Amino acid sequence: MATPASQQRTRLTDLATQAGVSTATVSRVLNGKPGVSPAARQAVLEALDLLGYERPERLRMRSQGLVGLVVPELTNPVFPLFAQVVESILAENGYTPLLCAQEAGGTTEDQYVEVLLDHKVDGIVFISGLHADTTADLARYHALRSQNIPLVLVNGHAEEIDAPSISCDDVAALDLAFRHLVQLGHRRIGLAIGPDRFTPTQRKVRGFLDAYARHLGEGEAEDHVVTTLFTVEGGQVAAAELIESGHTAIICGSDLMALGAVRAARQRGLSVPDDISVVGYDDSPLIAFTDPPLTTVRQPVRSMSQSAVSALISQIAGQPAPRSEMLFLPELVVRGSTSVAPSS
Amino acid sequence: MATPASQQRTRLTDLATQAGVSTATVSRVLNGKPGVSPAARQAVLEALDLLGYERPERLRMRSQGLVGLVVPELTNPVFPLFAQVVESILAENGYTPLLCAQEAGGTTEDQYVEVLLDHKVDGIVFISGLHADTTADLARYHALRSQNIPLVLVNGHAEEIDAPSISCDDVAALDLAFRHLVQLGHRRIGLAIGPDRFTPTQRKVRGFLDAYARHLGEGEAEDHVVTTLFTVEGGQVAAAELIESGHTAIICGSDLMALGAVRAARQRGLSVPDDISVVGYDDSPLIAFTDPPLTTVRQPVRSMSQSAVSALISQIAGQPAPRSEMLFLPELVVRGSTSVAPSS
């Protein structure tokens, strides 16, 4: 179908504006001409997609192969975020990502892995998978490695598995959150966290206990840790218990738990942050729009994903990948859910 | 590894509480004994997953086959929601879902479909795919049908494609939102919407114009429609324009746009809902936690997903699937972003 010249011009202009390049560059990319930097080419592709135009046939690349990406669920918005970022980096590298998202009662990690193997994936990235569960049998991962399947493990280091491992530094995260609350004058600080058989939970608890000892002296720090589930309801239950026992500040194991903690405070007629300060974990998408906007510890999702994909691609290329865990530093994003401790 | 009897008991009790069944039922399910209803069995499986226990080997089913699930992106939280619900229903029916999530500059719908075909999927569910883009070439879908691949199209009916089609009733949605605002006394009502080449956009615009004529009489209803993108930034730009031209209420094409509209109002020192009322669309997860909690039109995601999977499975079984579009009625969820029109 021929496009009138005027429409063609509008489209070039739109694309150039969106991509931040000249119309000449857009035209070169669309016509497959040389002399365009990879960054400009990628910007034009993104602009085509963002504005919803179809890519011309000649801009399509043949996939280098399949990579499985296993995430535990999509309810916590940090997992769709990881999925989207890892997928786009895989695609930039010519791999087609297949996202395996679990849900309670649905397809399990093992079932997904079986399917991925049946379909000869080139490698698998596990995000918060069973490798993070200290009670899970690691034989499943040893079996994959003995078949020479390249793996990368994100957020849940298991020393025994022969694979690169990438995590957000949970101990550092807890120290960031704790220090922020102490500086605001809080002394009754609690931790609301999910099941303790997961490595990230154990590390966050350790970080909390370390920070407690460092900032508030010895004491019975364990009394300030309440273990429930990593959900809104889990946060609500844990926070209720911490508020009842006189805490003025609650650090949560996930942003969802933090939203539950805000709800628990309000149910008791308390204000966040005037009466109770709440810190989340993840900095999930949209969390800046909550009431109040959540102070939270941001996982560096993009750099973690970049390293995960690099480590996987090295292995696929037959190069050795680092075996020691790569720890990524989180940052504290201060918004409206934390404030100075109430003077009691 | 043997588990001590006391731990075993705790686990049975936990599972029974979570699943809402007796410990005897949990035990029957875990040991593969008969005499348990499918619903109770599913509840126990979900409890195992929710509490993070591994499923015993004997509870694993062999997959019946693969189904591709193509979504346009994961940034708008309604897409992870659709993905999660469709996946769990597929899994309950024995199918393994492979989620193909696009991102600007990443793997395209056509590339995903190629991979799915290479891997002999049993069928494909397209959610807001190119079928919803009136400028896209439908030959790609005709080609799939001529290869006898069962398809289901969600939210973007294209009469010409030989496949069942399932949509949220956009015209009804706009009437719900419009009527709510008129009842609150608003007369200057605008629509902030994404690109108009998509069927759902065209239908929402039609719904808006119909509602305008019905509730406010003829006039230049088109002047109250601003077209940008379905993103936070898109909503912000469109809302700024509508606010400048004196509107007191803005209906948005997505919840993300609505968050942008709230931001645009606040940038002008206006309050939502005291000065400007905002209605979203989708009722995405977490949207109830925003500031203010968003009044929005909820897509019936679960029943739409249920019908999509049924229609796909019928086709896989060689039964004819309905060819007429199934329209699902949305509902208006009134929260804190709408209020009575300001007296000018």
Side-chain angles (χ1 to χ4, degrees):
Chain A
M1 194 170 60
T3 317
S6 66
Q7 272 187 37
Q8 187 85 46
R9 265 198 306 279
T10 319
R11 194 178 135 180
L12 281 182
T13 317
D14 284 356
L15 286 168
T17 309
Q18 179 71 38
V21 300
S22 68
T23 51
T25 301
V26 173
S27 170
R28 296 191 82 79
V29 172
L30 295 184
N31 295 302
K33 297 269 174 65
V36 178
S37 74
R41 184 178 184 282
Q42 181 66 21
V44 173
L45 284 184
E46 283 179 23
L48 274 170
D49 294 348
L50 276 174
L51 299 178
Y53 293 114
E54 277 188 66
R55 294 194 199 168
E57 188 70 42
R58 68 169 71 80
L59 294 184
R60 298 183 188 168
M61 315 184 272
R62 182 73 200 170
S63 169
Q64 304 239 26
L66 287 188
V67 169
L69 171 56
V70 181
V71 299
E73 43 134 330
L74 295 173
T75 307
N76 180 337
V78 80
F79 294 120
L81 177 64
F82 261 117
Q84 189 135 18
V85 175
V86 171
E87 293 202 319
S88 78
I89 300 172
L90 281 169
E92 280 168 29
N93 285 279
Y95 288 89
T96 304
L98 283 180
L99 179 52
C100 302
Q102 299 163 68
E103 198 190 24
T107 309
T108 63
E109 178 176 314
D110 290 338
Q111 288 170 328
Y112 274 124
V113 168
E114 231 168 77
V115 168
L116 292 172
L117 293 181
D118 284 352
H119 292 275
K120 313 224 174 314
V121 279
D122 289 308
I124 308 177
V125 178
F126 290 95
I127 297 180
S128 302
L130 288 171
H131 66 282
D133 183 342
T134 55
T135 67
D137 189 346
L138 298 182
R140 50 171 60 83
Y141 299 105
H142 301 321
L144 287 172
R145 290 301 298 132
S146 69
Q147 293 171 70
N148 252 319
I149 308 290
L151 309 180
V152 174
L153 309 175
V154 178
N155 279 345
H157 182 57
E159 189 59 43
E160 307 89 308
I161 306 174
D162 174 32
S165 170
I166 282 161
S167 302
C168 184
D169 189 336
D170 291 305
V171 173
L174 265 286
D175 190 58
L176 276 173
F178 205 100
R179 201 168 46 196
H180 170 60
L181 294 169
V182 166
Q183 285 168 352
L184 291 171
H186 292 277
R187 294 297 175 268
R188 299 281 302 169
I189 302 172
L191 175 67
I193 190 88
D196 67 3
R197 67 180 181 285
F198 297 111
T199 316
T201 305
Q202 295 175 355
R203 288 176 169 185
K204 287 188 183 86
V205 170
R206 181 152 59 80
F208 178 82
L209 299 180
D210 288 358
Y212 199 98
R214 195 160 45 249
H215 296 288
L216 299 180
E218 290 299 324
E220 298 299 317
E222 292 82 358
D223 295 351
H224 307 292
V225 178
V226 176
T227 301
T228 54
L229 293 173
F230 281 112
T231 56
V232 173
E233 295 73 21
Q236 192 172 351
V237 168
E241 191 174 329
L242 289 165
I243 292 170
E244 296 298 336
S245 54
H247 293 83
T248 61
I250 302 170
I251 302 172
C252 297
S254 73
D255 288 338
L256 294 184
M257 292 189 88
L259 294 177
V262 171
R263 194 185 267 178
R266 291 188 178 155
Q267 277 182 335
R268 282 157 188 75
L270 298 171
S271 150
V272 175
D274 295 340
D275 303 309
I276 306 284
S277 284
V278 173
V279 181
Y281 186 88
D282 284 335
D283 194 32
S284 325
L286 298 194
I287 222 67
F289 292 97
T290 56
D291 175 28
L294 209 61
T295 295
T296 188
V297 179
R298 177 184 292 159
Q299 291 200 55
V301 171
R302 179 153 290 276
S303 40
M304 291 170 68
S305 302
Q306 190 75 60
S307 298
V309 174
S310 301
L312 193 77
I313 290 178
S314 301
Q315 291 179 85
I316 294 173
Q319 289 150 13
R323 276 286 285 108
S324 58
E325 186 182 24
M326 286 176 267
L327 280 181
F328 285 73
L329 279 182
E331 55 193 6
L332 183 73
V333 186
V334 177
R335 299 199 184 97
S337 65
T338 48
S339 185
V340 290
S343 49
S344 52
Chain B
M1 196 169 58
T3 317
S6 65
Q7 271 187 36
Q8 187 85 47
R9 264 197 307 278
T10 319
R11 194 179 135 183
L12 281 182
T13 316
D14 284 356
L15 287 169
T17 309
Q18 179 71 40
V21 300
S22 67
T23 51
T25 300
V26 173
S27 172
R28 296 190 81 79
V29 173
L30 294 183
N31 294 303
K33 298 270 173 64
V36 178
S37 73
R41 184 178 184 282
Q42 181 66 20
V44 173
L45 285 183
E46 283 180 21
L48 274 170
D49 294 348
L50 276 174
L51 299 177
Y53 293 114
E54 278 187 64
R55 294 195 199 168
E57 187 70 43
R58 69 170 70 81
L59 294 184
R60 298 183 189 167
M61 316 183 272
R62 184 71 198 170
S63 169
Q64 304 238 30
L66 287 187
V67 169
L69 170 57
V70 181
V71 299
E73 44 132 330
L74 295 174
T75 306
N76 180 337
V78 81
F79 294 120
L81 176 64
F82 261 117
Q84 190 136 18
V85 175
V86 171
E87 293 202 321
S88 78
I89 301 171
L90 282 169
E92 281 168 28
N93 286 280
Y95 288 89
T96 304
L98 283 179
L99 179 52
C100 302
Q102 299 164 67
E103 200 191 22
T107 309
T108 62
E109 177 175 315
D110 290 336
Q111 287 170 329
Y112 274 124
V113 167
E114 230 169 78
V115 168
L116 291 172
L117 293 181
D118 284 351
H119 292 275
K120 314 223 176 312
V121 279
D122 289 307
I124 308 178
V125 178
F126 290 95
I127 297 180
S128 302
L130 288 171
H131 65 282
D133 184 341
T134 54
T135 66
D137 189 347
L138 298 182
R140 49 170 62 82
Y141 298 106
H142 300 322
L144 287 172
R145 291 301 298 134
S146 70
Q147 294 171 68
N148 251 319
I149 309 288
L151 308 181
V152 174
L153 309 174
V154 178
N155 278 344
H157 183 57
E159 190 59 42
E160 308 88 308
I161 305 174
D162 174 30
S165 169
I166 283 162
S167 302
C168 183
D169 188 336
D170 290 306
V171 173
L174 264 287
D175 188 58
L176 276 173
F178 205 100
R179 201 169 44 196
H180 170 61
L181 293 169
V182 167
Q183 284 168 352
L184 290 170
H186 292 277
R187 294 295 175 269
R188 298 284 300 171
I189 302 172
L191 175 67
I193 190 85
D196 67 4
R197 67 180 180 286
F198 297 111
T199 316
T201 304
Q202 295 175 356
R203 289 177 169 185
K204 288 188 182 85
V205 170
R206 182 153 57 81
F208 178 82
L209 299 181
D210 287 357
Y212 199 97
R214 196 160 43 248
H215 296 288
L216 299 180
E218 290 299 324
E220 297 300 317
E222 291 81 1
D223 296 350
H224 307 292
V225 178
V226 176
T227 300
T228 55
L229 293 173
F230 281 112
T231 57
V232 172
E233 295 71 22
Q236 191 171 351
V237 169
E241 192 174 327
L242 288 166
I243 292 170
E244 296 299 335
S245 54
H247 293 83
T248 61
I250 301 169
I251 302 172
C252 298
S254 73
D255 288 338
L256 294 184
M257 292 189 87
L259 294 176
V262 171
R263 194 183 266 176
R266 290 190 178 151
Q267 277 181 336
R268 281 157 188 76
L270 298 171
S271 151
V272 175
D274 295 339
D275 303 309
I276 305 285
S277 285
V278 174
V279 181
Y281 186 88
D282 284 336
D283 194 32
S284 324
L286 299 192
I287 222 69
F289 293 97
T290 55
D291 177 26
L294 209 60
T295 295
T296 188
V297 179
R298 178 185 291 159
Q299 292 201 55
V301 171
R302 180 153 289 276
S303 40
M304 291 170 69
S305 302
Q306 190 74 60
S307 298
V309 173
S310 300
L312 193 77
I313 291 179
S314 301
Q315 291 179 86
I316 294 174
Q319 289 149 13
R323 278 284 286 107
S324 59
E325 186 182 24
M326 286 175 267
L327 279 181
F328 284 73
L329 278 183
E331 54 194 6
L332 182 74
V333 186
V334 178
R335 299 199 184 95
S337 64
T338 47
S339 185
V340 290
S343 48
S344 53

